[in-house]
Amino acid sequence: ETGVTQSPTHLIKTRGQQVTLRCSSQSGHNTVSWYQQALGQGPQFIFQYYREEENGRGNFPPRFSGLQFPNYSSELNVNALELDDSALYLCASSGRSEQYFGPGTRLTVT
Amino acid sequence: GIQVEQSPPDLILQEGANSTLRCNFSDSVNNLQWFHQNPWGQLINLFYIPSGTKQNGRLSATTVATERYSLLYISSSQTTDSGVYFCAVFPTSGTYKYIFGTGTRLKVLA
């Protein structure tokens, strides 16, 4: 059984640029959630995808968007990057209830 | 919205000591998970425990959903137990998202 994977591991971008982060869900899981974790804080929910549809969103602006593909993998896109977007971005997949997290992508915006 | 508070915020132990971490939540929940975040940022599943008691080696957890709290017990602590412990709850209100607690930062000294 393959766990949740994320790419890239680290990324450095300039303010105003756009970024795409990727997540492959665990085998058999049809739900993917994305979280942002700023330094020293707990993860904050961005949004969740279930069978290719967004079915829940946290307090993040529209420049945070996502996709889920038929194989249940997912992308997180962030447009017009701001310095405060620097964080660890975590993806979690779930089947019925329990969430399993990937290793995260550390994004630095300069 | 639901509030999730963890205590203590910081904890320093000598190797071999026991500890209890607490998670209080302000509203009813369907699911609750405990995670250990290692120094590299990976969230490791410890327990999926919406109610009752579970044990896994030196770790055990108890959730009393009616009283809105959960406890994580660590016995005979080891230096590898160091890191941040989070509880995350899924509110009954159906917001389709896990809310993470404030975290407990644990350091185990050799």
Side-chain angles (χ1 to χ4, degrees):
Chain A
E1 184 179 271
T2 306
V4 181
T5 60
Q6 292 186 242
S7 63
T9 313
H10 296 85
L11 201 52
I12 299 175
K13 289 286 191 178
T14 303
R15 190 171 48 185
Q17 287 187 317
Q18 178 267 342
V19 68
T20 297
L21 310 181
R22 295 178 175 83
C23 170
S24 290
S25 60
Q26 186 164 313
S27 176
H29 288 179
N30 55 20
T31 302
V32 171
S33 303
W34 286 92
Y35 294 81
Q36 180 195 67
Q37 187 177 20
L39 200 61
Q41 298 183 20
Q44 299 292 315
F45 175 78
I46 302 175
F47 43 56
Q48 181 182 86
Y49 279 84
Y50 171 68
R51 294 187 175 181
E52 303 179 57
E53 297 286 331
E54 182 181 301
N55 75 339
R57 189 177 183 94
N59 296 325
F60 283 82
R63 60 189 185 85
F64 285 78
S65 63
L67 282 174
Q68 187 179 31
F69 300 100
N71 67 353
Y72 303 128
S73 66
S74 178
E75 288 182 353
L76 164 65
N77 300 290
V78 187
N79 293 323
L81 283 166
E82 301 177 0
L83 296 179
D84 285 349
D85 295 333
S86 295
L88 179 67
Y89 288 85
L90 295 161
C91 162
S93 78
S94 56
R96 296 177 65 183
S97 300
E98 187 171 1
Q99 292 202 333
Y100 294 85
F101 282 81
T105 294
R106 195 166 296 277
L107 172 65
T108 302
V109 182
T110 62
Chain B
I2 191 170
Q3 303 298 311
V4 186
E5 298 288 333
Q6 290 183 241
S7 59
D10 295 279
L11 188 57
I12 300 176
L13 300 173
Q14 278 302 131
E15 201 168 27
N18 302 328
S19 62
T20 301
L21 281 57
R22 188 177 181 102
C23 171
N24 290 332
F25 40 97
S26 61
D27 207 344
S28 60
V29 301
N30 289 334
N31 299 321
L32 187 147
Q33 288 187 248
W34 281 97
F35 297 94
H36 174 212
Q37 189 165 41
N38 65 22
W40 298 272
Q42 174 79 57
L43 280 167
I44 299 163
N45 287 41
L46 298 178
F47 294 101
Y48 171 72
I49 187 165
S51 63
T53 297
K54 290 186 177 179
Q55 180 156 8
N56 184 5
R58 297 181 297 103
L59 303 181
S60 64
T62 295
T63 296
V64 184
T66 53
E67 297 186 19
R68 298 180 183 169
Y69 73 89
S70 183
L71 302 174
L72 176 69
Y73 306 95
I74 304 174
S75 65
S76 304
S77 58
Q78 301 175 356
T79 56
T80 52
D81 294 332
S82 297
V84 184
Y85 289 80
F86 287 104
C87 67
V89 303
F90 194 100
T92 304
S93 63
T95 55
Y96 301 107
K97 60 181 177 179
Y98 267 94
I99 307 296
F100 277 76
T102 48
T104 291
R105 186 173 300 275
L106 173 64
K107 187 172 179 63
V108 181
L109 305 175

